[in-house]
């Protein structure tokens, strides 16, 4: 018998898709019916430029400093040098025993999403990276090309003069040991802290809104970040974001219930449609989710006022809107049987095509056969990146006296 072994050739796009799916599984990301859109839009409204991948604030200086270090090199050489520099930066931070080191676990390999990638949108949103004459955000390749286009005049310390710094706003000077191989800290110097506070204090909320973002309000008041985004100290500073913040809290609770409903429906259909013995893990947890989050979800929202959420974050895809409306009606009715919601959830999951689990189709039956209830996280509220944002604000505030 021939051995069941062979080589499979993957195109770059297929390899990227496989890596993305593995990363999603590793990070616990689940977005079967589109609830992640609510998270992204509210987070972008409150905290422009931020990402769940952000760990420490000083990276917003490390990245432009490292780009400026490549001035005068060809674009290809600069890109290679930047990769080496980012690997070296991870080592220096690790050697100092710092927390939140991007690439710390993959060193001496470069992280899949290094700081120059992770923080690029932040550099734009926070007004550190300059846009071009057409108000476009230059990508990293463009910046490398512009830095290599002309060899800049260097100062006595070997640093490029102001002509290349036009790519970025005027930055604080790097630390004296920046070019060394010694341990490096995330602690901000006073001039760095003032620079970043000034940048973060003038970030507008996304258009068409015309007020400063919640992130700017918190940076301006040098808040000591509380554990909860819903803390009274934050609500007090929220201004025009106070009402949207209350609705975001209700949406976060509703998303926890929605995730629980989806998982319970998969268990139900696996058992009833496929005849497979299935643990009742998520069906049992759904009652707890309703007890813990139902009142919060219903406190601000019902199916008739979902337009307020759309006022906050823009129009919702019709199928997602139907999921939210029907789930809210179900919660307000005090219902507990999720089968009444299967049509709406199945339609919303249709965006995933053959990866859908809820339909009564051959591909969905295959997906349900692979279902492992213990591998699927129990429903939890949306967090709107507060864990990452509070860490950035803590760095900005500095050590407590």
């Amino acid at each position: 018998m021939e051995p069941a072994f062979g080589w499979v050739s993957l195109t770059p796009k297929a390899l990227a898709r496989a890596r993305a799916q593995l990363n999603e599984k590793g990070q616990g990301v689940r977005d079967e019916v589109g609830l992640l859109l609510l998270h992204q839009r509210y987070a972008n409204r409150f905290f422009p430029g931020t990402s769940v991948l952000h760990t420490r604030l000083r990276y917003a200086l490390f990245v432009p400093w490292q780009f400026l270090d490549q001035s005068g090199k060809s674009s290809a050489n600069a890109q290679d040098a930047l990769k080496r520099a980012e690997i070296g930066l991870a080592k220096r931070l690790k050697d100092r025993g710092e927390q939140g080191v991007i690439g710390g676990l993959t060193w001496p390999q470069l992280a899949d999403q290094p700081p120059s990638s992770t923080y690029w949108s932040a550099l734009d949103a926070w007004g550190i990276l300059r846009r071009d004459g057409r108000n476009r955000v230059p990508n990293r390749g463009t910046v490398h090309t512009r830095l290599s286009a002309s060899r800049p005049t260097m100062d006595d310390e070997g640093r490029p003069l102001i002509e290349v710094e036009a790519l970025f706003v005027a930055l604080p000077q790097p630390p004296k040991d920046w070019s060394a191989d010694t341990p490096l800290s995330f602690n901000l110097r006073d001039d760095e802290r003032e620079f970043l506070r000034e940048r973060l204090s003038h970030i507008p909320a996304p258009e068409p809104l015309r007020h400063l973002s919640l992130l700017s309000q918190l940076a301006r008041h040098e808040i000591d970040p509380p554990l909860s985004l819903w803390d009274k100290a934050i609500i007090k500073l929220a201004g025009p974001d106070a009402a949207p913040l209350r609705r975001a809290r209700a949406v976060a609770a509703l998303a926890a219930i929605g995730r629980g409903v989806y998982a319970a429906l998969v268990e139900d259909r696996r058992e009833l449609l496929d005849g497979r013995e299935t643990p009742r893990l998520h069906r049992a947890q759904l009652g707890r989710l309703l007890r813990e989050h139902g009142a919060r979800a219903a406190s601000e929202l019902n199916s008739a006022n979902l337009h307020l959420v759309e006022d906050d974050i823009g129009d919702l895809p019709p199928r997602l809107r139907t999921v939210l409306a029907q789930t809210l009606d179900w919660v307000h009715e005090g219902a507990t049987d999720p089968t009444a919601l299967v049509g709406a959830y199945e339609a919303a999951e249709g965006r995933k095509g053959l990866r859908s689990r809820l339909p009564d189709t051959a591909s969905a039956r295959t997906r349900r056969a692979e279902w492992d209830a213990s591998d699927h996280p129990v429903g939890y509220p949306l967090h709107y990146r507060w864990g990452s944002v509070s860490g950035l604000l803590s760095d900005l505030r500095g050590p407590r006296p």
Side-chain angles (χ1 to χ4, degrees):
M1 183 175 69
E2 293 292 327
F5 178 85
W7 296 102
V8 176
S9 178
L10 291 177
T11 66
K13 287 185 177 180
L15 187 60
R17 285 195 301 270
R19 175 177 289 179
Q21 291 171 9
L22 288 172
N23 285 343
E24 282 191 2
K25 185 173 182 180
Q27 295 175 22
V29 175
R30 298 290 190 276
D31 190 34
E32 291 85 0
V33 297
L35 296 171
L36 187 59
L37 179 69
L38 303 168
H39 177 273
Q40 292 170 335
R41 288 192 182 177
Y42 268 119
N44 289 343
R45 174 188 174 124
F46 299 142
F47 310 120
T50 61
S51 165
V52 294
L53 300 178
H54 288 170
T55 58
R56 304 300 296 268
L57 187 56
R58 207 179 188 195
Y59 276 119
L61 294 171
F62 289 160
V63 171
W65 285 339
Q66 287 191 320
F67 268 87
L68 292 173
D69 283 344
Q70 314 315 320
S71 300
K73 299 176 182 176
S74 71
S75 182
N77 289 341
Q79 291 180 40
D80 289 340
L82 179 63
K83 291 177 182 178
R84 292 193 298 272
E86 292 192 288
I87 293 171
L89 177 62
K91 180 180 185 299
R92 297 180 68 188
L93 293 166
K94 278 169 58 73
D95 289 348
R96 181 64 182 262
E98 292 285 358
Q99 300 297 311
V101 178
I102 298 176
L105 296 179
T106 60
W107 187 87
Q109 303 299 318
L110 184 67
D112 283 344
Q113 299 186 74
S116 61
S117 171
T118 303
Y119 281 77
W120 199 251
S121 293
L123 296 182
D124 169 56
W126 300 348
I128 297 173
L129 174 66
R130 294 184 187 275
R131 296 192 175 193
D132 66 17
R134 298 182 181 179
N135 199 35
R136 297 175 302 188
V137 181
N139 60 37
R140 290 173 293 162
T142 298
V143 170
H144 279 308
T145 299
R146 289 177 61 186
L147 287 172
S148 66
S150 60
R151 296 183 180 272
T153 304
M154 312 300 282
D155 64 19
D156 293 338
E157 297 178 359
R159 298 286 304 169
L161 293 175
I162 191 66
E163 56 261 40
V164 296
E165 288 194 352
L167 291 164
F168 302 97
V169 298
L171 300 165
Q173 286 296 311
K176 293 181 179 180
D177 62 349
W178 174 243
S179 300
D181 192 27
T182 53
L184 188 65
S185 170
F186 281 124
N187 293 336
L188 296 168
R189 302 190 318 253
D190 288 344
D191 62 327
E192 296 171 8
R193 180 171 288 106
E194 288 306 310
F195 169 81
L196 289 169
R197 180 176 292 112
E198 193 276 335
R199 293 287 99 191
L200 293 176
S201 294
H202 294 87
I203 303 170
E207 294 183 351
L209 302 173
R210 296 186 177 278
H211 62 266
L212 283 177
S213 65
L214 179 60
L215 177 60
S216 284
Q217 296 292 357
L218 300 181
R220 284 183 168 207
H221 288 84
E222 302 182 25
I223 188 172
D224 187 6
L227 291 176
S228 171
L229 177 56
W230 324 118
D231 190 276
K232 291 180 180 179
I234 294 179
I235 301 295
K236 182 178 179 180
L237 297 175
D241 277 324
L245 200 57
R246 290 195 300 270
R247 285 189 287 273
R249 187 177 188 183
V251 167
L254 183 63
I257 294 170
R259 286 165 163 165
V261 165
Y262 173 84
L265 287 172
V266 174
E267 286 184 352
D268 216 37
R269 291 173 85 75
R270 189 178 191 273
E271 190 171 85
L272 298 179
L273 293 182
D274 307 338
R276 292 181 178 275
E277 185 176 348
T278 303
R280 298 188 60 84
L281 172 63
H282 294 281
R283 285 170 286 186
Q285 288 291 332
L286 184 56
R288 178 188 62 80
L289 292 173
L290 286 167
R291 290 190 300 274
E292 291 184 3
H293 303 294
R296 177 65 61 188
S299 65
E300 294 282 339
L301 299 175
N302 56 62
S303 60
N305 72 359
L306 273 176
H307 65 277
L308 296 176
V309 172
E310 293 182 306
D311 290 344
D312 294 340
I313 60 174
D315 292 344
L316 300 173
R319 292 180 179 180
L320 173 59
R321 198 182 198 284
T322 298
V323 163
L324 299 179
Q326 291 194 15
T327 305
L328 279 167
D329 286 341
W330 184 76
V331 171
H332 277 282
E333 292 166 3
T336 57
D337 182 359
T339 56
L341 300 172
V342 68
Y345 279 71
E346 181 180 329
E349 193 193 23
R351 56 194 266 281
K352 297 180 76 80
L354 295 178
R355 291 184 292 137
S356 298
R357 296 189 182 98
L358 293 178
D360 188 9
T361 62
S363 60
R365 284 192 290 274
T366 299
R367 294 282 289 164
R368 289 194 294 270
E370 299 166 351
W371 169 267
D372 182 351
S374 63
D375 188 46
H376 193 92
V378 173
Y380 53 92
L382 302 176
H383 55 73
Y384 306 121
R385 305 179 194 146
W386 179 243
S388 297
V389 173
S390 63
L392 300 178
L393 291 170
S394 292
D395 282 348
L396 182 64
R397 186 182 186 277
R400 292 183 179 91

